[in-house]
Amino acid sequence: MKQARAQGVRNTKEHAPDTRRDAATAIAPARPSDDGRRRVAIAQVTPELDGGRYPIKRVLGDRVIVEADLFADGHDLVSGRLLFRHEQRHEWQEAPLEPIGNDRWRASFEVTELGRYRYTVMGLIDRFATWRRDMRKRLAANRDVTVDIRIGRRLIEEAAGGGSGKPADRLKDYVTALHSDHRSQQRQLELLLGEEIAHLMAACVHRRLATIYDKELVVVVDRSKACFGAWYEMFPRSATGASQSHGTFRDCEARLPYIADMGFDVLYLPPIHPIGETARKGKNNDPQGGPDAVGSPWAIGAGAGGHTAIHPLLGTLQDFKRLVAAAQERGIEIAMDLAFQCSPDHPYVKEHPEWFTTRPDGTIQYAENPPKQDQDIYPLNFECEDYRALWEELKSVVRFWIDQGIRIFRVDNPHTKPFPFWEWLISDVKRTYPDTIFLSEAFTRPKVMSHLAKVGFSLSYTYFAWRNTKTELTPRKIKSGIGILRGRTA
């Protein structure tokens, strides 16, 4: 029987030599390392989005409540720490994890700066706490604890020698006291089981074999307007009292008291850029606009410029900056429309035709959602060969308006542009300008809206399209999952 088994194994190896070598490599025992002695298991860390792929969101002053499962083999006691730091800081801060039952632990930290925080969880075997627990059991059983006292003293000596700062210095005092004057066993036990020494040892617990959760999770911290704001929309060209005249930024400025009196703290302006002449639409999307048609503000770009230019009839850049400053004086912030699309007259069309989609007949593809047609708008091709240059150019548009004092952008139809583009742009901008807020104007499906929130958008229009009861519409803090209301995730 043994010969048959051996022959069978030998035949298998002879017919699959490559597999044999691969299998031998795969099953070779791992070389022992310190990792094998990291006995604490960490699981089910919350809050965490898609396994840490995306950051969670909070606003200034919020507390991030972190929970995790911490446990180990055997009967040793476990302790844990929540580690956190602002991304601009190198030193980690700590908060002790507290047990809440069933191997579940909890701690929290307050976010006091805009930008990104990183956080993770550490688990340790707490040898001194285990010793204290077992010592009490031995004493209750009237056991001889002479050797156990020596073990406790040795744990304190190791912690005092390996630690630093006030806790370690105080432990050194205990070491001296435990060795002085041949103190009685009872007196040594009183010192070893005291509450102060327990706190000191918790602060100096041995960490060489600590388990660190395998991910550094991220929380993006925004200002309160990313959580909630009262928005008022106004077309600048309609801000004049005369029906036949074109409104200006000065007309908008004159209406600021009216807007402030109603309690609004954000004034949203549709695109303020030059409007294309080619295929300009008339009233009610009439394709025959005629010579008097003012056109759609979303058909961006003309001879006067593109996304960093201002419609000449509205005023100058200085007029716009004056409006921004006047609004701020009344507690109102200007939100700017960010529509990444072009009219046929936009400078990009001549300078970078490769950024658009060309049809077989040589014409550029205009915007179309059949049967609806927008001949006055050319979509940008985010999948073109030169997409990197396109993305950088669009980021420069955002930075230009940030330099003019804008920190809130209402993004037009972000769900029609690639998710990776928004994740890249928003994260890059917010690293330098963490007070910037992006609102997603995307009337689309809930899962798409959820993903836009994950990639960086703080606010959304469409909450009300999918919620219609009082409970659903009431602003509230969201503890888990995806919350588009109040601009939060997780």
Side-chain angles (χ1 to χ4, degrees):
M1 186 67 176
K2 291 181 180 178
Q3 291 178 345
R5 286 178 177 172
Q7 182 68 31
V9 172
R10 184 166 59 250
N11 287 343
T12 301
K13 291 180 178 179
E14 289 173 354
H15 286 87
D18 293 335
T19 303
R20 179 194 65 211
R21 286 195 295 269
D22 293 344
T25 302
I27 64 175
R31 184 177 180 178
S33 68
D34 282 348
D35 289 344
R37 294 181 291 164
R38 301 182 192 277
R39 293 167 48 202
V40 177
I42 302 175
Q44 300 298 320
V45 177
T46 60
E48 181 181 271
L49 273 178
D50 290 2
R53 168 65 179 84
Y54 299 102
I56 66 167
K57 296 176 185 174
R58 295 294 185 269
V59 296
L60 278 174
D62 278 351
R63 293 201 71 82
V64 180
I65 300 173
V66 180
E67 293 186 3
D69 293 343
L70 264 67
F71 51 90
D73 62 280
H75 302 288
D76 289 334
L77 294 179
V78 171
S79 67
R81 303 285 190 277
L82 168 62
L83 310 179
F84 61 96
R85 65 178 177 87
H86 192 277
E87 206 166 52
Q88 299 300 318
R89 310 278 186 273
H90 295 295
E91 301 78 16
W92 289 91
Q93 295 179 271
E94 295 186 7
L97 285 162
E98 302 292 341
I100 58 176
N102 194 28
D103 292 320
R104 192 72 175 162
W105 299 69
R106 177 188 294 156
S108 67
F109 66 96
E110 184 179 1
V111 288
T112 58
E113 298 180 68
L114 294 175
R116 290 182 169 223
Y117 281 77
R118 292 184 173 272
Y119 63 97
T120 191
V121 172
M122 176 173 63
L124 315 103
I125 297 295
D126 195 329
R127 301 187 186 281
F128 188 71
T130 302
W131 177 88
R132 280 167 56 90
R133 179 201 63 189
D134 293 345
M135 175 60 82
R136 288 194 173 94
K137 292 180 179 180
R138 293 185 181 101
L139 291 172
N142 294 316
R143 294 270 301 277
D144 179 9
V145 293
T146 302
V147 175
D148 300 291
I149 289 175
R150 293 173 60 185
I151 293 173
R153 283 165 40 184
R154 185 174 65 189
L155 290 172
I156 295 171
E157 291 166 3
E158 291 175 352
S164 61
K166 292 182 179 179
D169 292 341
R170 182 65 178 133
L171 283 177
K172 291 174 183 177
D173 294 338
Y174 272 99
V175 172
T176 301
L178 288 166
H179 285 280
S180 65
D181 301 327
H182 302 287
R183 290 179 180 269
S184 67
Q185 186 177 92
Q186 181 61 35
R187 179 56 181 151
Q188 291 191 50
L189 282 172
E190 289 175 0
L191 291 175
L192 289 168
L193 297 176
E195 290 304 315
E196 182 187 18
I197 203 168
H199 291 301
L200 293 172
M201 288 296 287
C204 297
V205 65
H206 202 296
R207 301 187 177 194
R208 186 171 65 86
L209 296 178
T211 301
I212 304 292
Y213 187 52
D214 60 3
K215 301 183 186 71
E216 285 186 14
L217 304 171
V218 178
V219 52
V220 172
V221 182
D222 284 312
R223 52 199 176 98
S224 60
K225 275 198 175 73
C227 181
F228 184 80
W231 287 48
Y232 184 87
E233 179 178 356
M234 179 172 65
F235 279 75
R237 71 188 185 190
S238 301
T240 178
S243 60
Q244 299 302 317
S245 62
H246 196 288
T248 67
F249 291 136
R250 295 297 181 99
D251 295 320
C252 295
E253 190 176 335
R255 295 181 65 83
L256 289 175
Y258 167 74
I259 297 169
D261 288 344
M262 290 189 290
F264 291 99
D265 57 7
V266 178
L267 172 58
Y268 155 57
L269 304 179
I272 58 173
H273 314 296
I275 298 173
E277 298 282 348
T278 301
R280 178 176 283 194
K281 296 294 184 70
K283 292 182 179 181
N284 301 318
N285 206 36
D286 185 351
Q288 306 299 324
D292 298 327
V294 293
S296 167
W298 284 272
I300 297 171
H307 283 77
T308 57
I310 286 176
H311 196 298
L313 293 180
L314 293 176
T316 65
L317 182 60
Q318 290 304 316
D319 292 330
F320 176 74
K321 294 170 72 172
R322 171 177 163 148
L323 172 62
V324 171
Q328 289 176 345
E329 291 177 1
R330 294 186 175 274
I332 298 172
E333 194 167 353
I334 300 295
M336 188 169 188
D337 196 281
L338 198 62
F340 284 152
Q341 59 203 32
C342 303
S343 84
D345 305 316
H346 196 292
Y348 289 166
V349 177
K350 288 184 178 180
E351 296 169 4
H352 294 283
E354 70 277 10
W355 290 353
F356 301 88
T357 299
T358 302
R359 292 157 54 89
D361 62 358
T363 61
I364 293 178
Q365 176 67 58
Y366 56 76
E368 184 178 19
N369 186 10
K372 187 175 182 292
Q373 295 176 306
D374 291 317
Q375 297 91 338
D376 56 338
I377 293 175
Y378 285 171
L380 291 161
N381 181 4
F382 284 82
E383 299 178 18
C384 67
E385 291 296 324
D386 199 25
Y387 77 93
R388 290 185 178 88
L390 171 61
W391 288 22
E392 289 289 348
E393 172 64 19
L394 297 179
K395 184 177 70 174
S396 75
V397 170
V398 176
R399 289 181 174 269
F400 175 85
W401 291 109
I402 286 177
D403 289 342
Q404 314 313 316
I406 297 299
R407 290 295 188 277
I408 301 180
F409 293 92
R410 177 266 197 191
V411 181
D412 188 71
N413 283 335
H415 60 298
T416 63
K417 288 82 178 174
F419 298 129
F421 166 73
W422 292 122
E423 185 175 9
W424 169 81
L425 181 138
I426 294 174
S427 63
D428 189 87
V429 168
K430 288 177 74 70
R431 287 186 192 280
T432 308
Y433 305 97
D435 57 339
T436 308
I437 295 170
F438 292 85
L439 178 144
S440 165
E441 184 268 343
F443 291 88
T444 185
R445 304 179 304 284
K447 286 184 173 60
V448 177
M449 288 305 311
S450 173
H451 198 70
L452 288 168
K454 289 179 182 180
V455 301
F457 285 93
S458 300
L459 297 169
S460 162
Y461 268 8
T462 61
Y463 187 87
F464 299 98
W466 308 105
R467 305 287 190 270
N468 49 45
T469 69
K470 179 180 179 181
T471 300
E472 291 171 327
L473 296 177
T474 301
R476 65 192 185 279
K477 290 186 177 180
I478 297 174
K479 296 181 179 179
S480 63
I482 304 299
I484 296 175
L485 178 66
R486 296 178 62 89
R488 303 191 181 199
T489 53

